[in-house]
């Protein structure tokens, strides 16, 4: 091949562009066929000042991996790209160092405990729980079907959960965070492992490894800050377990078991076994991280691809045939009959499906080796059939995917997914044209585990689900999202986020988001409520897929055809309900519910206590330089202890207020529109800062609900010392509190209740609240919102008795922008996981 592009970098840039377009493996075939011809299977590719060999010839692959393997090793480029993330181990080391690593871990993979079906079943059950969240009880679902969702992230979570338990004895529980174990603090010098984000850091680190590998000798051009962040987080995760094992010795498993982890003394744990061979903490960390990375990613990718092809349009016959054989062999929806031997031998068509999937979508579409001495490949010279000289130091790329697409090997239908080919003519015998897990001495040690886990998960899913369908179009191309391993295109790849509005997060928060989602493009534009500098052009909407905004939206979907998700900066959506884009587009809208809870709850408690302790009076005296204690001595303040706060609208603000009130010794009465009779119904699915709010609905002493005046009045009669109004503004809540409601409040004690409104001004009738204050029906009021707003000069409310007024500022906080971005990150994570977003606006209800 000839050199291409400026300074010969054209081929590199073309390859990177193909990877971004999720067509990297196909690009290899397309380029070789176009420039060399379909019958040329080995070629030299010049890039800048170096050359590499690309081959899709099984004879050459056999020589490299087996018959002449002494002449080859993984490249130093690969080793140096990987080492910062996972250290030196069985997949990253070379020569004698590799032999030592192999000797350490190989005996562990010979153990029967690797194929622990009980362990797999426990995590499959967690997978089913997540799948059932998309069940057909939702109105948008056809009866008997789930919603359309991305299942692939769930497989990656499950694989992470299984491999962390197998390797360290303690699962990350990324499928079900509520089951995470509280590991003991102070046991090691490191903090407890970060199970929540370890998968994100692994993916982010691997994305950089991929980029570094693609740039080869020019990898030094890439920035490293984010990469170093990922590496440090991954190391920190593993180091806690390593240090705990070295400190506790034989008591390590007992400690985990005492904390509630699944493994017992009878279960296999890789770290525990390795520590019987070496006490070197760096080796233990590196070897386990090598296995964790390979075990989690390749297995999850394989399961994802199997399910993808089973669900793809045109493969209904494959799904039906496999499901029939699975049910005949193992029965419907039961794990009792499943054994390792039965998985391996009981359903031959299952093995064919796995093999066909690996042929069509090999987990590693490109392998590589470097000649450690001058050597020869059997073919590639002359007309292609002659030996080919390869000098020391020359890199060879083994195009596994391209080899699996060769029609002269696999038949004219090589591009078709057809598992039957593996059973034809007495069963296909394969050689080095099929090396999905490598071959020779360096073939993957965990391939049996990957195949076993994939087979088990597929069997259990086919037992449970009678049909699967792909949500993509029938003629959609197969997309390869290549980040070391080959996964189907999904997640935030190709998404562009526009942040446009008056509130912006810190640069560090943006960096954190980019770290979590390295494929995400983020642009920011400041706009102060209609005034934009520089001007925001309409055409800038065209490639935006996610918008973070207060109220700036495109006029119609035509200007923003790719906009799928709008993250509002506000807790409510009432200000955009009449916006044409909101009403007519199919984009999801999510509020910033939860962002305001900490600061607004503080405002509520602050103004209540300020009134109770007469702070406005003392501020006036201070301004007049007057020392007067008569007010305190004539009317003692009442403690908040044992008082009752009623929260009208038990959302994120109300739940955080309940947390603060509970800490002060107050009783909490909660009012919601819909009944919450069970513990499950009282839980909150909206976003909230970690450790805040009331996610389980545990604080209220009494719950009230209903949509009638009688229901509301029962709540108002319950003896409230503080009434917090935190309900959304809708047609149903306009003037929700008027003259009659203030009279009802007074029935439980005239002048007992202090009213705090942090919702919207029109929820309370302004004239009626003034009258209630003047007549002593209520004790006082704190109003951060008014009707009208802004409150004009001379308005009657300014002079009302016992009222504190602030100009709609209770939600102000330096952390506001960062929290909005946290909601965005939370929802992007949920979308990647195939789960519904939090804080989704119901367009019919308006909130």
């Amino acid at each position: 091949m000839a050199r291409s592009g400026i300074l010969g970098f054209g081929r590199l840039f073309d390859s990177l562009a193909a990877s971004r377009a999720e067509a990297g493996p196909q690009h290899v075939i397309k380029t070789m066929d176009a420039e060399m011809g379909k019958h040329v299977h080995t070629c030299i590719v010049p890039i800048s000042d170096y050359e590499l060999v690309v081959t899709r010839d099984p004879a050459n692959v056999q020589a490299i991996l087996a018959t002449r393997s002494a002449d080859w090793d993984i490249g130093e480029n690969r080793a140096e790209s990987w080492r910062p993330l996972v250290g030196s181990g069985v997949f990253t080391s070379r020569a004698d160092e590799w032999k030592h690593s192999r000797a350490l871990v190989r005996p562990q993979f010979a153990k029967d405990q690797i194929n622990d079906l009980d362990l797999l079943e426990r995590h499959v059950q967690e997978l089913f729980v997540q799948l059932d969240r998309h069940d057909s009880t939702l109105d948008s679902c056809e009866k008997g079907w789930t919603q359309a969702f991305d299942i692939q992230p769930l497989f990656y979570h499950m694989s992470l959960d299984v491999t962390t338990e197998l390797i360290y004895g303690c699962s990350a529980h990324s499928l079900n965070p509520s089951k995470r174990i509280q590991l003991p603090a102070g046991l090691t010098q490191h903090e407890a492992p970060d199970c929540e984000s370890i998968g994100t850091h692994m993916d982010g680190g691997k994305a950089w490894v991929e980029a570094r590998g693609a740039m080869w000798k020019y990898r030094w051009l890439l920035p490293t800050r984010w990469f170093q962040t990922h590496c440090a987080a991954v190391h920190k995760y593993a180091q806690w377990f390593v240090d705990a094992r070295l400190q506790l010795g034989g008591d390590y498993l007992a400690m985990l078991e005492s904390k509630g982890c699944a493994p017992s003394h009878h279960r296999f744990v890789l770290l525990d076994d390795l520590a019987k061979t070496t006490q070197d903490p760096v080796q233990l960390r590196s070897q386990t991280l090598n296995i964790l990375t390979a075990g989690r990613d390749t297995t999850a990718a394989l399961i994802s691809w199997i399910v993808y092809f089973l669900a793809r349009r045109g493969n209904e016959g494959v799904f039906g045939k496999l499901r029939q054989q699975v049910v005949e062999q193992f029965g419907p929806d039961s794990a009792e009959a499943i054994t390792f031997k039965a998985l391996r031998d009981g359903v031959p068509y299952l093995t064919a499906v796995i093999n066909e999937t690996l042929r069509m979508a090999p987990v590693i579409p490109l392998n590589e080796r470097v000649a450690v001495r001058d050597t020869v490949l059997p073919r590639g010279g002359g007309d292609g059939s002659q030996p080919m000289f390869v000098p020391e130091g020359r890199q060879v790329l083994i195009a596994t995917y391209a080899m699996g697409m060769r029609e002269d090997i696999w038949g004219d239908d090589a591009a078709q997914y057809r598992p039957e080919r593996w059973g034809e003519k007495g069963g296909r015998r394969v050689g080095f044209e099929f090396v999905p897990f490598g071959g020779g001495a360096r073939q993957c040690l965990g391939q049996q585990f990957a195949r076993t886990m994939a087979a088990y998960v597929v069997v259990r899913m086919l037992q449970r689900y009678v049909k699967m369908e792909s949500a993509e179009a029938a003629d959609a191309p197969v997309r390869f999202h290549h980040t070391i391993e080959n996964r189907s295109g999904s997640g935030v790849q190709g998404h562009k986020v526009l942040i446009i509005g008056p509130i912006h997060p810190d640069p560090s928060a943006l960096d954190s988001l980019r770290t979590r989602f390295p494929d995400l493009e983020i642009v920011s534009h400041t706009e102060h409520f209609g005034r934009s500098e520089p001007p925001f052009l309409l055409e800038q909407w065209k490639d935006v897929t996610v918008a973070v905004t207060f109220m700036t939206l495109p006029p119609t979907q035509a200007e923003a055809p790719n906009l799928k998700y709008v993250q509002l900066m506000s807790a409510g959506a009432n200000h955009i309900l009449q916006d044409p884009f909101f009403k007519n587009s199919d984009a999801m809208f999510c509020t910033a519910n939860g962002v305001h809870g900490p600061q607004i709850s503080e405002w509520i408690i602050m103004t209540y206590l300020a009134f109770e302790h007469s702070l406005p009076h003392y501020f006036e005296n201070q301004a007049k330089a007057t020392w007067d204690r008569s007010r305190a001595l004539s009317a003692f303040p009442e403690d908040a202890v044992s008082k009752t706060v009623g929260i009208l609208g038990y959302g994120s603000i109300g739940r955080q207020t309940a947390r603060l009130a509970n800490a002060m010794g107050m009783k909490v009465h909660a009012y919601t529109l819909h009944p919450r009779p069970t513990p499950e119904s009282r839980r909150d699915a909206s976003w909230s800062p970690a450790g805040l709010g009331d996610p389980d609905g545990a604080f209220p002493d009494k719950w009230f609900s209903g949509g009638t005046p009688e229901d509301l009045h029962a709540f108002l009669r319950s003896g409230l010392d503080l009434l917090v109004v935190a309900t959304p503004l809708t047609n149903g809540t306009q003037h929700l509190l008027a003259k009659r409601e203030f009279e009802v409040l007074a029935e439980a004690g005239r002048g007992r209740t202090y009213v705090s409104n942090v919702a919207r001004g029109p929820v309370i009738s302004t004239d009626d609240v003034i009258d209630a204050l003047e007549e002593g029906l209520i004790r006082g009021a704190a109003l951060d919102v008014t009707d009208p707003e802004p409150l004009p000069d001379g308005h009657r409310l300014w002079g009302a008795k016992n009222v504190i007024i602030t100009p709609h500022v209770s939600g102000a906080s330096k952390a506001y922008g960062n929290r909005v971005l946290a909601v965005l990150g939370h929802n992007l994570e949920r979308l990647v996981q195939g789960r519904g977003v939090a804080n989704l606006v119901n367009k019919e209800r308006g909130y």
Side-chain angles (χ1 to χ4, degrees):
M1 292 185 175
R3 298 185 188 275
S4 170
I6 300 174
L7 300 178
F9 283 109
R11 298 195 185 281
L12 176 59
F13 296 152
D14 289 345
S15 175
L16 294 173
S19 293
R20 286 195 297 271
E22 299 185 327
Q26 299 98 317
H27 173 73
V28 175
I29 299 175
K30 181 179 179 181
T31 303
M32 290 185 72
D33 287 353
E35 297 194 30
M36 308 296 296
K38 293 184 65 173
H39 302 294
V40 174
H41 304 304
T42 302
C43 60
I44 297 175
V45 179
I47 299 177
S48 184
D49 61 345
Y50 66 94
E51 295 178 334
L52 57 84
V53 176
V54 178
T55 186
R56 54 183 174 185
D57 189 326
N60 288 341
V61 175
Q62 182 176 11
I64 294 170
L65 300 182
T67 55
R68 301 183 69 98
S69 61
D71 294 346
W72 301 89
D73 207 335
I74 65 168
E76 186 62 24
N77 167 53
R78 167 177 157 179
E80 288 303 311
S81 295
W82 271 103
R83 280 192 191 114
L85 182 65
V86 298
S88 295
V90 69
F91 296 111
T92 62
S93 52
R94 310 173 77 223
D96 291 340
E97 186 182 4
W98 169 77
K99 292 178 182 178
H100 174 70
S101 295
R102 180 83 167 191
L104 273 178
V105 300
R106 183 168 188 168
Q108 323 307 326
F109 281 88
K111 296 177 182 289
D112 292 337
Q113 295 99 315
I114 286 291
N115 301 299
D116 187 341
L117 301 188
D118 290 339
L119 180 151
L120 296 181
E121 177 61 22
R122 280 191 286 103
H123 292 286
V124 165
Q125 288 301 318
E126 295 294 345
L127 172 68
F128 286 160
V129 170
Q130 296 302 321
L131 294 177
D132 288 346
R133 292 180 183 273
H134 305 275
D135 65 21
S136 58
T137 59
L138 298 171
D139 294 339
S140 60
C141 295
E142 183 182 344
K143 186 177 181 180
W145 282 90
T146 66
Q147 288 181 313
F149 67 100
D150 185 1
I151 196 174
Q152 178 175 240
L154 299 182
F155 293 139
Y156 274 81
H157 284 306
M158 180 182 63
S159 185
L160 177 64
D161 292 347
V162 170
T163 50
T164 49
E165 183 171 334
L166 183 68
I167 293 171
Y168 298 114
C170 184
S171 173
H173 283 303
S174 50
L175 275 178
N176 187 355
S178 67
K179 287 194 172 183
R180 283 184 184 142
I181 305 303
Q182 187 67 40
L183 292 167
L187 181 61
T188 76
Q189 62 180 341
H190 302 291
E191 296 177 8
D194 179 7
C195 294
E196 180 177 357
S197 59
I198 180 60
T200 300
H201 286 299
M202 289 173 66
D203 285 339
K206 284 171 58 232
W208 281 100
V209 170
E210 174 79 9
R212 286 160 64 89
M215 294 294 288
W216 199 44
K217 61 189 292 185
Y218 301 102
R219 61 183 180 273
W220 55 270
L221 292 170
L222 295 171
T224 61
R225 183 176 52 141
W226 294 343
F227 183 46
Q228 290 169 349
T229 298
H230 293 309
C231 293
V234 171
H235 289 182
K236 188 176 180 181
Y237 176 85
Q239 197 66 54
W240 189 92
F241 293 107
V242 169
D243 289 351
R245 172 58 179 82
L246 293 178
Q247 181 171 328
L248 296 175
D251 295 329
Y252 173 73
L253 295 185
M255 179 276 292
L256 293 179
E257 192 175 4
S258 70
K259 296 299 178 181
C261 292
S264 69
H265 288 27
H266 304 293
R267 284 193 179 277
F268 171 79
V269 173
L270 179 63
L271 172 61
D272 186 58
D273 264 38
L274 283 176
K276 297 172 185 176
T277 305
T278 178
Q279 297 284 293
D280 184 335
V282 175
Q283 273 210 17
L284 290 173
R285 185 188 72 197
S286 299
Q287 298 296 348
T288 56
L289 283 178
N290 271 247
I291 302 298
L292 175 61
T293 301
R296 174 243 189 184
D297 298 334
T298 55
T299 305
L302 174 56
I303 298 171
S304 301
W305 279 115
I306 294 171
V307 172
Y308 172 83
F309 282 114
L310 289 177
R312 191 170 167 84
R313 312 289 172 85
N315 291 341
E316 294 86 354
V318 176
F319 178 92
K321 180 177 178 179
L322 180 59
R323 184 173 190 276
Q324 179 181 354
Q325 292 186 20
V326 164
V327 173
E328 288 175 354
Q329 175 70 30
F330 300 114
D333 206 7
S334 172
E336 291 182 4
I338 305 177
T339 65
F340 171 69
K341 187 176 186 304
L343 275 179
R344 187 188 61 195
D345 305 326
V347 185
Y349 194 59
L350 175 60
T351 302
V353 165
I354 294 173
N355 285 342
E356 183 71 349
T357 300
L358 288 167
R359 181 188 70 84
M360 291 285 292
V363 173
I364 305 296
L366 279 175
N367 208 336
E368 70 88 44
R369 291 292 188 272
V370 169
V372 297
R373 60 177 66 90
D374 290 349
T375 189
V376 173
L377 291 177
R379 292 203 287 247
D383 62 357
S385 64
Q386 302 300 311
M388 176 181 180
F389 173 72
V390 180
E392 178 184 350
R394 178 68 53 84
Q395 183 184 32
V396 176
L397 298 183
I398 300 171
T400 311
Y401 172 80
M403 200 156 52
M405 293 292 105
R406 280 182 53 174
E407 294 180 357
D408 59 323
I409 296 176
W410 301 98
D412 294 341
D413 62 351
Q416 177 185 344
Y417 185 80
R418 194 172 65 83
E420 284 73 15
R421 75 178 74 248
W422 294 87
E424 292 170 349
K425 300 178 181 178
R428 186 179 185 96
R429 300 291 183 267
V430 295
F432 282 83
E433 73 274 15
F434 182 68
V435 285
F437 293 97
R442 287 195 77 127
Q443 67 179 320
C444 179
L445 287 171
Q447 63 174 304
Q448 178 179 301
F449 173 72
R451 284 179 173 271
T452 299
M453 182 172 170
Y456 189 88
V457 173
V458 170
V459 165
R460 295 294 285 120
M461 289 188 68
L462 292 180
Q463 288 178 308
R464 188 179 181 92
Y465 302 106
V466 298
K467 194 171 184 180
M468 299 177 187
E469 282 190 2
S470 173
E472 66 182 19
D475 58 349
V478 178
R479 297 185 301 153
F480 293 92
H481 179 52
H482 186 207
T483 307
I484 308 303
E485 90 285 354
N486 214 5
R487 63 178 78 177
S488 57
S490 65
V492 298
Q493 180 86 359
H495 281 275
K496 179 179 180 179
V497 174
L498 168 67
I499 303 174
I500 179 168
I503 302 168
H504 282 271
D506 296 333
S508 60
L510 288 170
D511 287 346
S512 178
L513 192 67
R514 291 186 175 103
T515 295
R516 291 174 63 190
F517 305 101
D519 294 326
L520 195 66
E521 180 184 358
I522 303 174
V523 295
S524 185
H525 192 95
T526 302
E527 184 169 75
H528 294 286
F529 298 104
R531 301 192 314 277
S532 177
E533 296 179 3
F536 183 78
L537 304 178
L538 200 60
E539 63 188 38
Q540 291 176 256
W541 281 110
K542 66 179 184 301
D543 57 349
V544 172
T545 59
V546 179
V548 182
T549 181
F550 178 73
M551 60 188 304
T552 303
L553 294 169
T556 68
Q557 196 155 16
E559 285 79 20
N562 300 307
L563 184 53
K564 303 300 182 186
Y565 161 35
V566 177
Q567 176 60 60
L568 296 173
M569 295 179 177
S570 55
N574 57 290
H575 60 294
I576 61 163
L577 295 183
Q578 301 307 314
D579 186 276
F581 185 84
F582 175 82
K583 294 169 65 176
N584 302 318
S585 78
D586 57 5
M588 297 182 298
F589 281 75
C590 297
T591 68
N593 191 21
V595 165
H596 310 77
Q599 63 269 38
I600 292 184
S601 61
E602 289 177 4
W603 184 95
I604 292 167
I605 299 300
M606 173 189 70
T607 52
Y608 171 64
L609 294 178
F611 176 82
E612 188 63 58
H613 291 271
S614 302
L615 287 187
H617 169 75
Y618 293 122
F619 287 154
E620 291 178 4
N621 283 355
Q622 180 179 345
K624 295 183 293 186
T626 300
W627 184 274
D628 180 7
R629 303 179 67 198
S630 60
R631 188 182 185 103
L633 298 175
S634 62
F636 290 110
E638 295 186 26
D639 298 336
V641 176
S642 78
K643 298 294 185 181
T644 300
V645 55
I647 302 176
L648 180 59
Y650 202 59
S652 62
I653 294 170
R655 287 172 183 259
Q656 177 63 10
T657 302
R659 176 178 284 272
L660 297 183
N662 178 266
M664 294 168 58
M666 300 181 77
K667 298 176 183 176
V668 177
H669 291 182
Y671 184 92
T672 55
L673 178 60
H674 302 289
R676 305 291 181 91
T678 64
E680 181 64 33
S681 68
R682 294 176 181 178
R683 291 177 182 158
D684 185 25
S686 61
W687 181 86
S688 179
L692 301 184
D694 183 18
D696 295 325
F699 290 131
D701 299 275
K702 291 184 180 180
W703 285 79
F704 298 81
S705 63
T708 68
E710 291 76 15
D711 296 322
L712 176 61
H713 293 172
F715 166 67
L716 298 177
R717 286 191 183 98
S718 66
L720 306 180
D721 299 287
L722 170 62
L723 171 63
V724 177
V725 183
T727 188
L729 176 61
T730 66
N731 292 335
T733 61
Q734 188 94 7
H735 288 184
L736 184 65
L737 297 180
K739 181 178 180 179
R740 179 57 188 148
E741 283 65 45
F742 292 119
E743 292 174 346
V744 171
L745 274 174
E747 292 176 11
R750 186 179 182 87
R752 171 179 179 172
T753 307
Y754 188 78
V755 177
S756 182
N757 187 11
V758 293
R760 290 292 185 267
V763 174
I764 295 180
S765 167
T766 301
D767 288 338
D768 291 336
V769 75
I770 295 173
D771 291 343
L773 288 165
E774 298 296 335
E775 296 171 15
L777 296 179
I778 59 177
R779 193 175 183 201
L783 306 175
D784 184 53
V785 290
T786 61
D787 182 24
E789 191 175 304
L791 195 62
D793 292 345
H795 192 279
R796 184 179 167 212
L797 187 57
W798 286 117
K801 179 182 177 182
N802 294 339
V803 65
I804 296 175
I805 300 172
T806 58
H808 205 150
V809 295
S810 65
S813 169
K814 285 187 176 181
Y816 196 106
N818 291 359
R819 291 195 188 121
V820 170
L821 215 58
V823 180
L824 173 67
H826 176 75
N827 275 339
L828 290 175
E829 191 73 49
R830 291 175 70 91
L831 289 171
V832 169
Q833 294 169 0
R835 301 163 63 192
V837 293
N839 300 354
L840 182 66
V841 175
N842 184 312
K843 291 189 176 182
E844 293 181 1
R845 296 176 183 169
Y847 62 90

